[in-house]
Amino acid sequence: MGLAGCHIPWNDPYPAGTTAKPILLRAFSAPPKHLDPVMSYSSNEWGIISQIYEPPLQYAYLKQPYTLEPLTLTRMPDVRYLNEKGQETTRDRAAFSEYTLHLRGDVRYQPHPAFLAPNRELSAERIAQLTTPYELPTGSRALTADDYAYAIKRMGVRAYQSPILDTMMAHIVGLKKYSENVSQAYEKLKETRSGGGFFDLRPYAIEGVQVVDTQTLKIRIKGVYPQFLYWLSMNFFAPIAWEVDAFYSQPGMKEKNLSLDTWPVGTGPYMLVENNPNFRMRLMPNPNFHAESYPCEASEGVSRALLDDCDQPLPRNGGVLYTLEKESVPYWNKFMQGYYDASGVSSDAFDQAVQLSSSGNIGLTPIMQEKGIRFLGGVQPTIMYFGFNMVDPVIGGLGENQRALRQAVSIALNMEEYISIFLNGRGVAAQGPLPPGIFGYEPPPVGINPFVYRWENGQLVRRSLDEARALLEKAGYANGIDPATGKPLKLYFEAVGASPDDQARLAWLRKQFAKLGIDLVIRATDYNRFQDKMRQGKGQIFMWGWNADYPDPENFLFLLYGKNGVVATGGNGVNYANYANPEFDRLFEQMQTLPNGPERLRMIRTMVHIVQQDAPWVFGFYPRALALYHHWYHNAWPNMMANNTTKYLRVDAAERVERIRQWNEPNRSALWIGLAALLGMGAGAIWLYRRRQQQRAREEGGSC
Amino acid sequence: MLKYLIRRLLYAIPILIGVNLITFALFFMVNTPDDMARIHLGAKQTTPEMIAAWKQAHGYDKPLFFNGNAEGLDTLTDTLFFQQSVRLFTFDFGLSDSGRDIGADIQQRMWPSLALALPTFLLGLWVNITLALVAVLFRYSRVDKTALVAAVLLMSISGLFYIIGGQVLFSKVLHWVPISGYQPGADAWRFLILPVLIGVFAGLGAGLRWYRTLFLEEVNKDYVRTARAKGLSEWRTLSRHVLRNGLLPILTGVVVVIPTLFMGSLVMESFFGIPGLGSYTIEAIQGQDFAIVKAMVFLGAVLYIAGLILTDIAYAWADPRVRFK
């Protein structure tokens, strides 16, 4: 322990001096699989690569509702509408939409060896010696429109596994044809070059993607698709320099885990300088990062303290150190010791951290307040729902009886109770398919689901079980009895997993149905089989969720669009309830291309009312995210759509060091007592042994 | 001896083929290549084209054991089993299904595993044997009985309790060591001391009872009586004669695990944030990464066979009467 004295406090888990640097100390619970923007689509991966890559647009940090703004562009893209002949026309007659992107001239790539030509022709021996790319000399260059085009071209190579290729093929002109050609060429190249090699995409062209000059890019899409702007804020559209692709394609690189999937190269505020996904990842500020400053505008409701750093240069911190923390107990304890700047609240730690007032408001416990810990909460743009399979003969269909049955179940499934028991209050009971923050969401009383709730004395009141029973009777199942069998109606719930936690949820669910006299049968299975059942439309009732890709109502309402039915599309749709209402579908087709405005809102209201009445889902809940952060952690704001928010955060490292020192003073006296006890036990054993030996000698002497 | 070793190594080949066969059969009984593709693609909407491309890129578009569309020997060689097994025998593990090099990952992760497992193993062995000898020294006395009761108590408590209890006591309350984490190099001891001590403590109950039983069997034999008659002290008799003669059964249980120490410990590494191999296989099973699963099962089998051969060699070293045939 003498050596530990050199490292104060003794329980500091970082190399000496780390906590004194103005860096963010974060944890990640699962190693990210992909850091290549062409294929990465998980939130934990985007949490990292969004700090490195820069798509053309980003979400304004402090604005609500979610608002896009230029990131590497001089202004928002210009949109022109064109007819079949390519002539400009009005929006409502458009056969194509053309987006023109004007790039800033001051954006440069992070330092990287790929930008030096000799590094793209390394010998096998040199590559074999490398552990990181940064062991080689580095260079940089300015961002050009070609890099954005190159990223779209990479998306088109089927073998690169872009999860949005099929979606984008439906929109970007010529992408489908390009993808077929380039994918074939790629396969041919793979056959001829078994050791890999650079597949140069520059000679290939996509009809709808045109590089006008180094700073201007045009993308032509089919028809009118205003949601395309949201896609332009995602990492799939982040620029990729061909030099980087060429560098990592050198034979032997992949065997050293050196690839775009492990060592990203972007123009963003940070660069990844350490990548051991099983241990630690480290971001350092990109020295070539272009001028960008902290926002000076915030929407109403945003704390004015968040504008203290107005106009200050970004990033506001000196980097990020991510440490893998698989278990929640050590993660929580290290947060409480000050070794992580922020933490979520696991159910184990919930009571220690949070107290709920009688009105359901969330507050911190005195222990948290004493430590100066603060919290941020926000409703996520996510919906969790219980779906009914609308092609099921018992529970599905748009007939009056089936509708009444689903409405009765919707009333009986008490989501407020579910949120209270299983989410510690971290959720909002859903009234419809659109969560807060998405255009078209309207809080009660306007947005109330009148088939499940009533508005009484300014409060939302769930309809009574008697009303549910009346609906059940109307459906032909009086008191829950199935007239065909004379026994309680049997319904089937498709469940994933059967852990103790799951068991509690399933028991609760059975109880909810039992309130109506319905016998709910749980069919538990693994995730693969569950998905198979869903794709084949064999399930009856199931639980599912959807997290917004972008903050547009289309991204939620398309989950109920008939042409997206999972059965109708042979397993490729996202409408797992197989809901198909012609009126809803007609309105959806009109609504999806309209700009946000009164007309769109009117349509959405009607659509929401239709699904509330048809009840293909029990609208479950919108989860509420809750994050705790220390007093030294500044500028935190829950923008649920933005992923590149690390650059805004600031830490007061001096305060962090001081607090950590106060909270982690080692207990030296206990150490001495422990050592003395060990020595005492050893001495006692020796004394006992000697006494026993002498006693035996005496006994043996006596017997002689 | 050389002949014996060669024979044992040749025996290993059908065993490894069998292990591989079972791994393939079990894995694909639970997961189809389509399921694997969906998990790896991670997209909200996976199309048949995406799935087909993923399977082709990873070689999962071939039949599992028998290719009915091929002719001649290709019916067996143009299969998933053959294509993916052959390279294993040259210890070329290839790329994981998520694209990382498995060999490089194993190399990177085995050292932290070893840094935790080796001291835990050696210290545990020393402590268990020493305390067992002490218990035998005071056999049938109050000290011995107390040690036995304590051993049963220690065995009855879940290992997780020691881990969480140790973290709370030594890091959260006393602030002596980091609660979890790791640093390579000289600073590693700060992170390893707690998991090593907890690992030793958690294994103490079972170890103490096992070794005590072994030594008690020896302690009444004639050679021990002779040693006492020569006037040796009890401790010298135990440590010089009983321990040496009790080595054979100890070697059976101990040497075989030495090679597998590389494979790490799932629970200890997860709770203490040690970036080792312990969770590599489990994570691969959860993520349906068959390339890693088959590589790790194969490696585990190789190491186990190596452990068994080492045990045989250790027998001959410990007991000159043992001869290889």
Side-chain angles (χ1 to χ4, degrees), chain A residues 525-556:
Chain A
T525 184
D526 62 73
Y527 188 59
N528 289 337
R529 301 289 83 74
F530 170 75
Q531 282 196 314
D532 278 346
K533 278 186 182 177
M534 291 296 105
R535 276 192 295 274
Q536 293 162 14
K538 286 182 179 170
Q540 196 176 56
I541 305 171
F542 57 91
M543 190 177 186
W544 208 287
W546 186 263
N547 189 25
D549 294 302
Y550 43 82
D552 191 273
E554 178 259 1
N555 193 232
F556 283 89

Side-chain angles (χ1 to χ4, degrees), chain B residues 180-203:
Chain B
S180 70
Y182 185 73
Q183 292 299 328
D187 207 24
W189 74 272
R190 293 197 307 120
F191 300 89
L192 293 173
I193 190 166
L194 184 60
V196 166
L197 290 178
I198 288 175
V200 170
F201 194 69

Side-chain angles (χ1 to χ4, degrees), chain A residues 10-12 15 166 257 278-280 325-326 334 528-529 535 547 549 574 663 665 667 671 689, chain B residues 30-31 35 38 44-45 47 101 109 171 174-177 179-180 182-183 190 235 275 279 283 288:
Chain A
W10 294 355
N11 63 359
D12 184 351
D166 291 275
N257 280 335
N278 189 45
F279 173 36
R280 190 165 65 192
E325 205 70 74
K326 289 179 186 167
K334 277 160 91 171
N528 289 337
R529 301 289 83 74
R535 276 192 295 274
N547 189 25
D549 294 302
V574 284
W663 295 341
E665 187 63 35
N667 189 331
L671 180 64
Y689 169 66
Chain B
V30 180
N31 310 295
D35 296 333
R38 281 192 195 94
K44 287 177 171 176
Q45 278 175 282
T47 61
D101 189 83
R109 296 171 73 148
S171 179
L174 299 173
H175 303 143
W176 286 355
V177 286
I179 203 157
S180 70
Y182 185 73
Q183 292 299 328
R190 293 197 307 120
W235 179 249
S279 59
E283 281 165 8
Q288 298 186 16

Side-chain angles (χ1 to χ4, degrees), chain A residues 355-405:
Chain A
Q355 55 190 13
L356 291 170
S357 70
S358 53
S359 58
N361 290 330
I362 290 176
L364 289 177
T365 58
I367 301 171
M368 299 289 120
Q369 289 173 17
E370 270 170 36
K371 284 191 166 239
I373 291 171
R374 293 172 287 183
F375 81 97
L376 267 178
V379 179
Q380 295 173 276
T382 300
I383 182 164
M384 302 300 296
Y385 61 88
F386 291 89
F388 299 110
N389 182 3
M390 295 295 280
V391 294
D392 181 84
V394 177
I395 200 108
L398 294 177
E400 277 299 316
N401 291 357
Q402 292 99 325
R403 187 185 288 165
L405 173 59

